[in-house]
Amino acid sequence: MKMLRNVALILLLIAGGLVFYTQAMLRMGSGIPPQMASTDQQADAIFVDKSDRRLQLLRDGKVIRDYTISLGDQPLGHKTQEGDERTPVGTYEIDWRNENSIAHLSLHISYPNPADKAQAAQRSVSAGGNIMIHGILNGWGFVGPLQRLADWTNGCIAVTNTEMREIWSLVPNGTPITIQD
């Protein structure tokens, strides 16, 4: 009985330590973002295929980078309200960036648009917001590609930290993003 109690106590301490570590790291920020690539190297569009878990950076209609992504717990279908853990479907744009994100760097997708807000208002719910392309939660970057084994975001699009640094440098604000199921 004493052995079982000790194992339970150790597991509780480990769980508490992980929670404390995660909360501390979320507040640390992402560090110094990379410099933007030259304009002739930057993407002029982004395409996301949710069913294939792919994000592609395009320039003049040609794929210049291709990434495997993770999505929210309910990945398919259009985002209709806050908390549904879906990534929106449609055409938006990258409208701002956050170098102090809780996940390694983030680019904001301009969801909700007026149509998204109107459908949510019609149902008396919040459309939600803060849909981003981002890296792994700060402090957990060591999981790298393992983050792709499950959809874990709240409706965002996640890549590895290395990939996020590349995307950050190649995608200027104002870049259109098309997301399809």
Side-chain angles (χ1 to χ4, degrees):
M1 189 66 159
K2 184 177 178 183
M3 173 93 152
L4 185 59
R5 187 175 49 220
N6 288 342
V7 168
L9 180 60
I10 289 170
L11 290 175
L12 185 61
L13 288 172
I14 290 171
L18 289 173
V19 168
F20 177 78
Y21 173 79
T22 300
Q23 292 303 310
M25 291 294 105
L26 293 180
R27 290 168 177 74
M28 302 260 331
S30 300
I32 299 170
Q35 290 186 339
M36 293 298 292
S38 62
T39 54
D40 63 326
Q41 298 297 309
Q42 293 177 359
D44 58 17
I46 303 169
F47 177 74
V48 175
D49 185 330
K50 296 193 316 181
S51 63
D52 284 343
R53 303 297 193 281
R54 306 300 301 171
L55 179 148
Q56 296 175 324
L57 301 184
L58 308 169
R59 181 163 184 84
D60 298 324
K62 295 181 181 151
V63 176
I64 60 171
R65 298 290 191 285
D66 188 26
Y67 306 96
T68 302
I69 59 174
S70 292
L71 299 166
D73 286 338
Q74 300 295 320
L76 297 181
H78 181 57
K79 182 166 195 63
T80 59
Q81 69 184 56
E82 185 173 4
D84 66 7
E85 297 189 339
R86 289 194 170 110
T87 304
V89 173
T91 300
Y92 299 91
E93 73 175 38
I94 302 302
D95 57 355
W96 54 271
R97 54 191 59 230
N98 184 358
E99 63 187 55
N100 294 311
S101 174
I102 64 168
H104 187 71
L105 304 173
S106 60
L107 300 177
H108 186 262
I109 298 169
S110 63
Y111 174 88
N113 63 26
D116 297 321
K117 291 176 185 175
Q119 72 77 24
Q122 188 173 41
R123 296 183 308 113
S124 299
V125 297
S126 168
N130 278 336
I131 302 298
M132 315 286 246
I133 300 170
H134 61 68
I136 301 167
L137 292 175
N138 292 329
W140 290 94
F142 60 87
V143 302
L146 294 175
Q147 66 92 23
R148 297 182 186 125
L149 294 176
D151 289 317
W152 59 271
T153 76
N154 288 325
C156 293
I157 299 167
V159 294
T160 68
N161 290 356
T162 300
E163 292 167 339
M164 189 61 226
R165 293 183 69 75
E166 183 175 66
I167 293 167
W168 178 283
S169 72
L170 292 171
V171 175
N173 289 352
T175 302
I177 179 170
T178 300
I179 306 167
Q180 75 176 25
D181 264 336

